[in-house]
Amino acid sequence: MSTLLRHPRIYTGSAEQPFVTGLLVDGERITAIGTYGELVATYSPSTTIDLPGALVMPGLHDAHIHTAGVARALAAVDLRGARSLGEALATVRDHVSSLPSGSWVFGGRWDRNKWAEPVQPTAAELDTVSGDHPIALASIDGHTMWANSEAMRRVGIDAAWPDPPGGMAVRDTAGNPTGILRETAQDPIDELAGGDDDLVGPLLAAQEHFLSIGLTAVTDLNGEDARAAYLSMKDTGTLKIRVVKGIPMYALQSAIAEGRRTGDGDDWFRVGPVKLFSDGALGSRSAHLSRGYADNPDNLGMAVMTHEQLYDAARAAVDAGIAVAVHAIGDQANHTVLDVFEEIRHDTGTALPLSIEHTQFLQPGDVARLRQLQVTASMQPTHCTSDIDLVAALLPEHDVVGYGWRTVLDSGADLAFGSDAPVEEANPFHGIHAAVTRQRSDGSPPRGFQPAERITVAEAIAAFTTGAAKLSGVAADRGTLTPGKLADLIAVDTDITDPAVVTDEPLRIRNTQVLQTIVGGETRWQRD
Ligand SMILES: [Zn+2]
């Protein structure tokens, strides 16, 4: 029972046979590739499916994303623009119509002082647009929450509920809460919003979003709650993207104790690396530099973990079979991580994947060490274009390789790309555009930021496919559309491999629309 997928332009990502017109798929895997005619003649497939759009390409894998953060942001409704209670209710109604049944809705930021009539809203009004969703909406200043009846029911706020110290539920004359919760009375719902034990609903919505932008796999670096939610989605058969789940540092000891090892799992869900932190971030001046920030030369940023702490945590992980990913932005942070990885490779002889997450600023002398130590540079192209002004302001004279994907590739090191969403948008075509042009979404600066670091579309796709797959230990199964690999592919409306698109209209790369997303040989998402 094989299916032939047909399209005039299928980019396989393989150097030997980059373009074909047919993919033969048996179950979850690709079994043969070639011209449509050859494949029909040789295999007489039972069905042929024509794929839409201008290009078919491998499904993309975001190597660094916080999917629970994306899910919470997607689930949050934004009422800042509402100018009346009616407008606020209409916004909520629109928002919940796209969400999976029964999922929590947070967000809000409503400001009744901006409403035509500054009324105090009620649960009863919110109930009229809620469907079956529990909804809790914080006011713009965060001191008041507007909850619907289902939200209050789920946390047990009713007539019998006593007001907590430092807070109160507004009540009607019969003592029933009206839906307005002040100060600490919000806490029972806030706890859910922060440490969400109901992450499945938001993640199901986020999963649809990921499929719609061409992601067929993610390496998630959120917490253990996201792990639990993904495992529950897998159990109930609702997991449609492939998940590599990172281990947060707080869970390293428990992961070791339970014998969790990187690579455990299957094609849909597998254990990834532990994530450690070497420093902070550039914008908050906490990225660890070897030379002071231009606006405060005494400040070198900070080492979030010292060399010894990084070594001890990485060593404990590696000894237990867990790969290591370390966040490092500043050049000194990257230098320290490379020193630590050098010791780890030397002392343990491990072949486990080691990566530096972000790898934003490298000392020129450190570049060659990436390949020597088999350390993957796991980078996010849109951070570069978001940070252009920041780099000019804070590091004008620093002798560093900044967001240097060209330099990294030329050194022979492995490169994986991701988004770091929700810090940036998850859309990988924004990342490919930024990697190839080093330009912002408005096309500035004209030649791109430090244009010598631009790479080709094929190289950018590779970092989002084979690069991410290799870092995840699944290079044999994913990354290209070649025989033996999983049939994870997307059909898009723009042929981004056409050199004229890059030279003449590069923004078309960024604006690429996904039309159909196939994971494991099955269509998981399709544009209406
Ligand atoms: Zn991140």
Side-chain angles (χ1 to χ4, degrees):
M1 279 301 287
S2 52
T3 302
L4 186 50
L5 303 178
R6 174 167 64 176
H7 191 279
R9 202 159 166 84
I10 300 174
Y11 177 64
T12 65
S14 123
E16 298 89 70
Q17 212 175 352
F19 289 96
V20 296
T21 54
L23 301 172
L24 193 72
V25 174
D26 202 335
E28 280 205 66
R29 288 186 190 259
I30 297 167
T31 52
I33 64 173
T35 67
Y36 170 74
E38 279 162 19
L39 293 173
V40 167
T42 317
Y43 300 98
S44 18
S46 41
T47 347
T48 293
I49 295 174
D50 285 303
L51 296 174
L55 181 75
V56 169
M57 60 186 280
L60 301 168
H61 178 160
D62 189 320
H64 182 130
I65 183 168
H66 306 265
T67 61
V70 174
R72 291 191 178 107
L74 280 174
V77 62
D78 184 353
L79 299 180
R80 277 173 297 174
R83 290 295 170 266
S84 67
L85 172 61
E87 274 184 34
L89 291 171
T91 304
V92 173
R93 177 189 281 126
D94 274 3
H95 182 81
V96 302
S97 67
S98 65
L99 298 177
S101 171
S103 61
W104 274 93
V105 178
F106 300 112
R109 309 173 80 183
W110 50 278
D111 185 354
R112 69 180 172 129
N113 299 310
K114 294 220 169 94
W115 292 357
E117 233 186 300
V119 293
Q120 182 154 281
T122 65
E125 287 154 347
L126 195 49
D127 290 345
T128 63
V129 295
S130 297
D132 59 0
H133 297 274
I135 303 181
L137 306 170
S139 63
I140 186 85
D141 62 11
H143 292 273
T144 303
M145 183 177 276
W146 174 22
N148 73 354
S149 301
E150 178 63 11
M152 291 192 289
R153 190 189 67 74
R154 290 215 197 173
V155 297
I157 296 178
D158 58 16
W161 187 71
D163 284 338
M168 64 167 296
V170 174
R171 295 168 197 266
D172 64 17
T173 49
N176 296 305
T178 65
I180 292 295
L181 308 171
R182 298 202 188 283
E183 307 296 341
T184 59
Q186 307 174 63
D187 291 355
I189 290 176
D190 262 346
E191 273 168 35
L192 286 176
D196 206 341
D197 63 0
D198 188 23
L199 202 44
V200 170
L203 277 177
L204 285 170
Q207 168 177 265
E208 291 300 301
H209 174 60
F210 298 144
L211 290 167
S212 78
I213 55 178
L215 293 174
T216 55
V218 291
T219 297
D220 175 82
L221 297 171
N222 268 127
E224 296 282 276
D225 51 349
R227 170 183 162 83
Y230 279 123
L231 286 171
S232 127
M233 286 161 67
K234 183 167 175 265
D235 282 349
T236 54
T238 53
L239 185 61
K240 301 180 191 172
I241 54 168
R242 305 190 189 278
V243 176
V244 177
K245 185 66 196 81
I247 301 168
M249 202 174 74
Y250 70 77
L252 178 59
Q253 287 312 322
S254 58
I256 291 172
E258 75 183 51
R260 206 188 294 173
R261 298 168 73 90
T262 296
D264 283 356
D266 58 21
D267 289 330
W268 289 97
F269 183 92
R270 61 175 50 225
V271 176
V274 66
K275 169 129 180 254
L276 307 177
F277 284 84
S278 174
D279 67 345
L282 190 62
S284 50
R285 276 74 165 167
S286 55
H288 194 192
L289 307 178
S290 60
R291 172 175 175 175
Y293 285 79
D295 63 351
N296 179 4
D298 293 335
N299 177 27
L300 297 175
M302 65 183 291
V304 169
M305 291 173 78
T306 64
H307 181 122
E308 288 69 28
Q309 288 168 333
L310 281 172
Y311 180 87
D312 290 346
R315 179 68 192 262
V318 163
D319 285 347
I322 295 172
V324 182
V326 188
H327 164 116
I329 306 267
D331 69 294
Q332 189 58 44
N334 278 278
H335 185 77
T336 302
V337 176
L338 286 164
D339 285 350
V340 168
F341 282 165
E342 186 165 1
E343 292 170 26
I344 293 284
R345 289 281 190 222
H346 173 269
D347 297 352
T348 68
T350 184
L352 282 165
L354 302 178
S355 68
I356 302 183
E357 299 302 315
H358 311 307
T359 336
Q360 274 178 14
F361 301 102
L362 287 168
Q363 296 170 9
D366 279 340
V367 172
R369 299 173 76 199
L370 290 168
R371 192 191 58 77
Q372 283 159 12
L373 299 170
Q374 300 289 297
V375 173
T376 301
S378 175
M379 306 176 77
Q380 300 78 32
T382 46
H383 278 328
C384 169
T385 46
S386 294
D387 289 355
I388 292 173
D389 293 336
L390 214 47
V391 175
L394 299 180
L395 313 175
E397 312 268 285
H398 293 60
D399 181 21
V400 289
V401 175
Y403 314 86
W405 28 88
R406 176 80 272 151
T407 299
V408 165
L409 284 178
D410 288 349
S411 78
D414 288 327
L415 176 67
F417 274 163
S419 67
D420 205 12
V423 178
E424 305 281 353
E425 284 192 56
N427 192 325
F429 290 93
H430 294 191
I432 295 172
H433 172 260
V436 167
T437 65
R438 315 256 304 179
Q439 290 173 330
R440 303 180 181 95
S441 59
D442 63 357
S444 68
R447 291 190 60 242
F449 173 71
Q450 300 179 348
E453 291 291 354
R454 289 179 301 200
I455 57 176
T456 67
V457 168
E459 287 168 331
I461 292 173
F464 269 114
T465 52
T466 49
K470 185 174 178 191
L471 178 56
S472 309
V474 293
D477 294 305
R478 306 185 210 168
T480 58
L481 303 180
T482 48
K485 299 251 172 128
L486 291 161
D488 298 352
L489 50 122
I490 55 178
V492 300
D493 71 345
T494 306
D495 182 2
I496 63 171
T497 67
D498 176 354
V501 171
V502 183
T503 51
D504 303 340
E505 306 171 277
L507 277 174
R508 286 181 61 204
I509 299 172
R510 192 173 196 277
N511 297 330
T512 296
Q513 298 285 305
V514 174
L515 304 174
Q516 188 170 347
T517 303
I518 294 176
V519 189
E522 244 182 74
T523 297
R524 310 284 174 166
W525 183 88
Q526 206 159 6
R527 190 167 295 279
D528 308 320

